[in-house]
Amino acid sequence: MPDKKRKREISPNDGSDANKMDILRRHFESQFAPLKGIEKKLGSKKSKALPEKTEEALSDQRWQGIPDAEDDGLIGNVPVVIEFDATKDVPLSISKAPRSVLKSFMSSKPPLPTTSTAAPPTKSKKSSNDEGDPRSEAEMLKNDLALQRLLRESHLLDSTSGKLEATGKNRLKALESRIQALGGKDITAQKNVPMAVRKGIAAAREERELKRRKNAKEAGIVLERDTTKKISKKWQDRGGFGPSIGKFKGGALMLSTRDVMDIEGRSGPGGGGGGGRKGGKKHGKIKR
Amino acid sequence: MTTATITPNTPIRFTTHSSLRRRLVLSTLTGTPLHISQIRSTSLKPGLTPYEFSLLRLLDSLTNGTFIEISLTGTTLLYKPGLITGNNGRPLTHTLPENCPRGVTYFLEVLALLAPFSKSAFSVTLNGGVITSATAEDYSVDTFRTAVLPVYAGFEITRGIEVRTLVRSSGPLGAGEVHFLHGHQVRLPKTLHLQNSGRVKRIRGVSYSTGVSAGNNARMIETARGVLNRFVADVYVFSDVSKAQVVPADYGKEGAVEKAAGNMKGRAGGKTKKTGVGFGISLVAETSLGTVYAADAFAGPAEAAEDVGKRAAIMLLEEIKVGGVVGRHGLMSVLVMMMMGVEGDVGRVVLGKEAIGEEFIAGARDLKNFFGGEVAVREGESDSLVVSVVGRGVGNVGRKVA
């Protein structure tokens, strides 16, 4: 098929479907036998589109070299290879994606189906929805607090009455526990107790609590959040900054020989098998 | 929680290695023991392959009390699943065999199906022979993140899900690294009702090249956009370029790891080579109602970048033609999740006729074996099929609230 070498483009506005079919048919007929069934059907249209072409002229048509300039205007003369490629239609202006699109799509999270390039309208919609929605943010927060309180005080509730609020003596106990949670003093505690006994009481209380949590976890029961957890003094932020490697001393970062070797990835002079810096460069290296 | 979960201890029996992965997942989700015999019994290399062993090991470390018995030749497997604990919320690192021919999505798909029903959150790092690009059988990690995970949003499983591609690598010998995080554990997935797929409103994609020129990305993107821009104007394909991985010269050879005995640096006499070189493209079409269709193409030997881009674009158009409210890549996950759903609730999805194939029928048969429920298919309007599934209420055994 030497004709294939010629590549022409026809502008999309000059052909209706029938016209395209016509071109295809003629291309087919130029290589094989003339089609009979379709010929009648399309006969009128074909004559309308290209009246000067007859079938005989098309069937014995051969490759005649590169056509002259005067011949150029006629499309039907040679079979035309149309490549469906719209690269030229691509406007150059949108070749670079906006940063928001890049961020939402290329992050490690799966892109949400609701996110759209038109962000502002969805935002306003959401705020208007919030007003009408009975389960708004504030409401949910309130429910959340109520649930936490219920979980915390559930051990005081009476199993016989179906109420979710403690009554009588238990109500006072619940009130007392709330005051303590806010930093108040335990008024039920004895005032004058030897230190050893006091420590014992505290230790026993802690142990009881731990046991309760452990049992609940094993049974898969959801408990209230632990609010009494203390932050150890050692790890509290002391201000300033701590370098991840070396020591900051007298206004200078001091690196030991070991640190230097760590950075360079060499193993120490005596000990073999050091693996360089932990969490170092990921590319080009396999960690095992 | 009544019928399906309390199962007798007699295992369900299967033969051959076909859809082994799906059967293992279904077995783990339902807690039903599984017995598979005649695994590649007539092959020259009989028994389970290294990547199947690796999958079993991964399942073992994510569950508590799993019992696995493999015969001496590896042709018979008895699998009694335990409770899905997700390593009790601790991070887990799993190393794949170096010569693993399957893409990392082979493992990630399993993780994504198990994680919602775990007792605690998943944090799994996969390294070793990880191939993040598309392979002959598996799609790329980008398609997984942008097209498969959004399927789970239909079941309201959305929070804390991340797939971090730390090191990109291509086949046949991969050396990448992927971190999978899943923090949304549910009791029961929501019932799904999807009738309309909507119309495609935008197309996104990622083209990746590892160890080859970034020009390949640009060429793939240009051709893919050339095809797709005629139909949708909103087409963005992002480019991701990364280096090849430097590995020991005997990387991926049989028995090389055993010979090295954990000494990665001194392997092969310190000689190294580059691996994971190649390029490919992942395209995702999103409809106005949130359905996603995806297509993946990876460069074959000496294939031009233009051809790869064009192939991917045409594959995507074919996927869109098949239609349905769920793309074919996420179909099995959706069916499994629907089966896991609230007992007695009927979920419906509308699919294109071409989406129902051999794979679908085999999957539905397996679902019947494990869950005891059937997948009903009937004619819908305008040349589509309505697939309805009755939930079995299996849900998350490890997550009960007292």
Side-chain angles (χ1 to χ4, degrees), chain A residues 84 86-87 90 94-95 97-98 101-102 105-111 113 115-117 219-221 265 282 284 286 288, chain B residues 95 145-146 149 161-164 175 177 202 204-206 222 225-226 230 233 236 238 246-247 257 264 286 400 402:
Chain A
F84 285 100
T87 33
V90 178
I94 60 153
S95 61
V101 175
L102 179 97
F105 190 77
M106 291 301 281
S107 72
S108 57
K109 294 189 180 84
T115 53
S116 72
T117 41
I221 298 165
K282 278 280 165 72
I286 311 264
R288 293 230 96 215
Chain B
T95 307
R145 180 174 60 83
T146 56
L149 287 181
I161 306 174
E162 277 185 55
V163 180
R164 296 186 188 141
E177 190 170 344
R202 63 171 172 225
R204 295 278 179 271
V206 182
E222 202 190 341
R225 279 185 68 184
R230 294 161 49 86
Y236 288 126
F238 301 99
V246 177
V247 292
V257 182
M264 204 50 188
E286 195 189 317
K400 58 176 184 212

Side-chain angles (χ1 to χ4, degrees), chain B residues 53-266:
Chain B
F53 276 120
S54 186
L55 178 68
L56 283 171
R57 223 171 277 139
L58 178 64
L59 287 173
D60 185 31
S61 43
L62 286 171
T63 52
N64 187 8
T66 296
F67 176 81
I68 300 171
E69 197 178 83
I70 302 165
S71 72
L72 211 61
T73 50
T75 51
T76 309
L77 164 73
L78 176 64
Y79 177 78
K80 288 181 185 163
L83 202 68
I84 311 167
T85 56
N87 203 18
N88 287 327
R90 288 191 301 271
L92 174 79
T93 306
H94 183 73
T95 307
L96 306 186
E98 285 176 356
N99 54 358
C100 177
R102 305 294 298 252
V104 71
T105 47
Y106 178 82
F107 300 90
L108 288 179
E109 258 188 6
V110 173
L111 294 181
L113 265 176
L114 296 185
F117 306 104
S118 162
K119 194 166 171 167
S120 48
F122 268 32
S123 167
V124 182
T125 308
L126 295 168
N127 60 15
V130 168
I131 302 171
T132 60
S133 70
T135 62
E137 287 161 294
D138 303 289
Y139 42 79
S140 69
V141 74
D142 299 286
T143 306
F144 176 76
R145 180 174 60 83
T146 56
V148 178
L149 287 181
V151 164
Y152 291 90
F155 299 98
E156 295 198 343
I157 297 168
T158 49
R159 274 183 282 112
I161 306 174
E162 277 185 55
V163 180
R164 296 186 188 141
T165 312
L166 303 175
V167 182
R168 271 184 194 276
S169 190
S170 308
L173 287 181
E177 190 170 344
V178 172
H179 190 184
F180 176 78
L181 282 166
H182 198 298
H184 198 160
Q185 277 68 41
V186 292
R187 174 81 191 84
L188 284 165
K190 253 197 80 182
T191 312
L192 196 69
H193 285 287
L194 289 174
Q195 308 285 343
N196 297 316
S197 58
R199 292 171 76 89
V200 174
K201 67 171 175 184
R202 63 171 172 225
I203 294 171
R204 295 278 179 271
V206 182
S207 72
Y208 46 87
S209 61
T210 45
V212 290
S213 156
N216 287 314
N217 274 353
R219 284 158 63 193
M220 278 189 289
I221 292 169
E222 202 190 341
T223 16
R225 279 185 68 184
V227 176
L228 298 170
N229 249 81
R230 294 161 49 86
F231 308 105
V232 185
D234 192 3
V235 179
Y236 288 126
V237 183
F238 301 99
S239 164
D240 194 310
V241 186
S242 54
K243 286 186 226 157
Q245 285 81 53
V246 177
V247 292
D250 60 354
Y251 187 80
K253 295 245 168 64
E254 202 133 313
V257 182
E258 287 76 23
K259 223 169 100 185
N263 181 10
M264 204 50 188
K265 281 199 159 171

Side-chain angles (χ1 to χ4, degrees), chain A residues 39-234:
Chain A
E39 179 208 325
K40 277 173 199 161
K41 215 168 146 191
L42 288 169
S44 61
K45 278 176 188 171
K46 192 200 96 187
S47 60
K48 209 171 84 188
L50 289 157
E52 75 271 35
K53 280 288 139 197
T54 60
E55 251 156 65
E56 290 81 53
L58 282 164
S59 59
D60 60 22
Q61 186 191 320
R62 290 285 175 270
W63 171 248
Q64 287 153 355
I66 299 156
D68 301 330
E70 52 171 20
D71 200 72
D72 248 347
L74 287 172
I75 292 155
N77 213 1
V78 249
V80 177
V81 178
I82 302 157
E83 201 171 292
F84 285 100
D85 186 2
T87 33
K88 289 177 188 77
D89 303 344
V90 178
L92 287 168
S93 56
I94 60 153
S95 61
K96 205 153 187 272
R99 200 165 159 68
S100 60
V101 175
L102 179 97
K103 263 187 142 178
S104 70
F105 190 77
M106 291 301 281
S107 72
S108 57
K109 294 189 180 84
L112 288 173
T114 45
T115 53
S116 72
T117 41
T122 50
K123 223 176 218 174
S124 64
K125 210 174 172 184
K126 204 182 167 193
S127 63
S128 66
N129 262 3
D130 268 8
E131 285 159 24
D133 195 5
R135 298 194 315 162
S136 64
E137 196 75 16
E139 185 89 6
M140 298 234 257
L141 200 67
K142 207 175 138 196
N143 288 341
D144 220 36
L145 277 174
L147 177 68
Q148 283 299 327
R149 179 170 277 184
L150 179 68
L151 285 172
R152 210 171 291 136
E153 290 159 11
S154 57
H155 64 285
L156 294 173
L157 294 181
D158 197 2
S159 57
T160 50
S161 72
K163 278 182 193 165
L164 288 176
E165 293 266 335
T167 46
K169 207 174 175 184
N170 284 341
R171 190 181 63 86
L172 291 175
K173 267 189 187 169
L175 208 62
E176 187 60 36
S177 77
R178 275 178 225 168
I179 290 167
Q180 273 180 47
L182 289 169
K185 270 196 178 157
D186 189 3
I187 51 161
T188 57
Q190 280 178 298
K191 270 166 196 144
N192 295 324
V193 189
M195 190 47 129
V197 177
R198 194 189 287 274
K199 275 181 179 165
I201 291 168
R205 187 184 293 146
E206 200 163 331
E207 200 176 338
R208 258 200 311 276
E209 174 68 10
L210 275 177
K211 199 177 163 195
R212 184 172 76 95
R213 288 199 171 269
K214 198 178 142 221
N215 284 340
K217 198 178 176 191
E218 275 166 4
I221 298 165
V222 176
L223 280 186
E224 80 278 5
R225 250 181 262 121
D226 193 3
T227 51
T228 57
K229 210 163 224 166
K230 290 163 231 149
I231 308 157
S232 77
K233 267 258 162 70
K234 203 176 159 193

